[in-house]
């Protein structure tokens, strides 16, 4: 699986850290599922563009491609998630897409539901993870979470 940073639709051009962070949280959560391998892309490219060719870092075809977008709706975030097969897979089924409205209060719990929905689409049973969670619930304060994501983003710069 290849996971790319989510598009930033918050209206704040400086908030790219949010889409990057959400994609990274989902990637780390999905890697808690036994047998799933995934990698992150540090740039955002849509399928079929020159930036993504359906191959992972080893040159082999990736089975799935996860992308999305995130927008700010005041007290909640609106997310769209798309899971698709590789560009060159003639037998792939239609892309799986879902939209979510996740309250900022308890955001990581909402993101955990998104991760489990993706895992279910990949055929994973709901079990494992840290106390049954794929996304670790290390804070309930959305502003603190954003500060963490901003700091992580800046440290990679």
């Amino acid at each position: 699986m290849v996971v790319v940073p989510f598009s930033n639709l918050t209206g704040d051009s400086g908030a790219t850290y949010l889409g990057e962070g959400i994609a990274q949280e989902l990637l780390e959560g999905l890697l808690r599922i036994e047998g799933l391998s995934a990698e992150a892309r540090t740039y955002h490219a849509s399928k079929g563009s020159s930036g993504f060719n359906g191959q992972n870092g080893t040159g082999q075809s990736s089975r799935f491609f996860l992308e999305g977008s995130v927008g700010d709706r005041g007290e909640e975030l609106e997310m769209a998630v798309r899971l698709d097969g590789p560009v060159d897979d003639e037998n792939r089924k239609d892309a799986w897409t879902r939209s979510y409205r996740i309250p900022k209060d308890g955001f990581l719990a909402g993101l955990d539901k998104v991760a489990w929905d993706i895992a279910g689409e990949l055929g994973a049973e709901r079990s494992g993870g840290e106390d049954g969670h794929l996304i670790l619930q290390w804070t309930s304060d959305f502003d603190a979470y954003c500060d963490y994501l901003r700091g992580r983003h800046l440290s990679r710069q």
Side-chain angles (χ1 to χ4, degrees), residues 2 12 29-30 32 36 46-47 55 61 71 77 89 94 96 100-101 104 114 116 119 142-143 152-153 156-157:
V2 173
D12 177 0
L30 292 169
R32 291 185 176 87
L36 180 67
S46 297
K47 270 186 17 163
Q55 296 191 343
S61 267
L77 292 182
D89 186 351
D94 290 336
W96 175 87
Y100 299 89
R101 286 190 171 232
K104 289 179 180 177
V114 174
W116 276 115
F142 185 74
D143 291 332
R152 194 163 72 174
H153 170 79
R156 287 191 304 266
Q157 299 275 323

Side-chain angles (χ1 to χ4, degrees), residues 92-115:
R92 75 174 184 249
K93 61 181 181 177
D94 290 336
W96 175 87
T97 59
R98 293 290 182 276
S99 294
Y100 299 89
R101 286 190 171 232
I102 303 174
K104 289 179 180 177
D105 182 29
F107 176 75
L108 291 173
L111 196 58
D112 189 58
K113 180 191 179 330
V114 174

Side-chain angles (χ1 to χ4, degrees), residues 56-76:
N56 63 23
T58 65
Q60 300 171 330
S61 267
S62 300
R63 180 143 184 216
F64 292 99
F65 179 82
L66 181 68
E67 63 184 338
S69 62
V70 60
D72 192 337
R73 299 287 181 231
E75 294 300 312
E76 60 187 10

Side-chain angles (χ1 to χ4, degrees), residues 4 14 30 33-34 74 104 113 121 131 149 152:
V4 297
L30 292 169
I33 298 171
E34 189 174 327
K104 289 179 180 177
K113 180 191 179 330
E121 184 61 20
D131 297 325
L149 293 180
R152 194 163 72 174

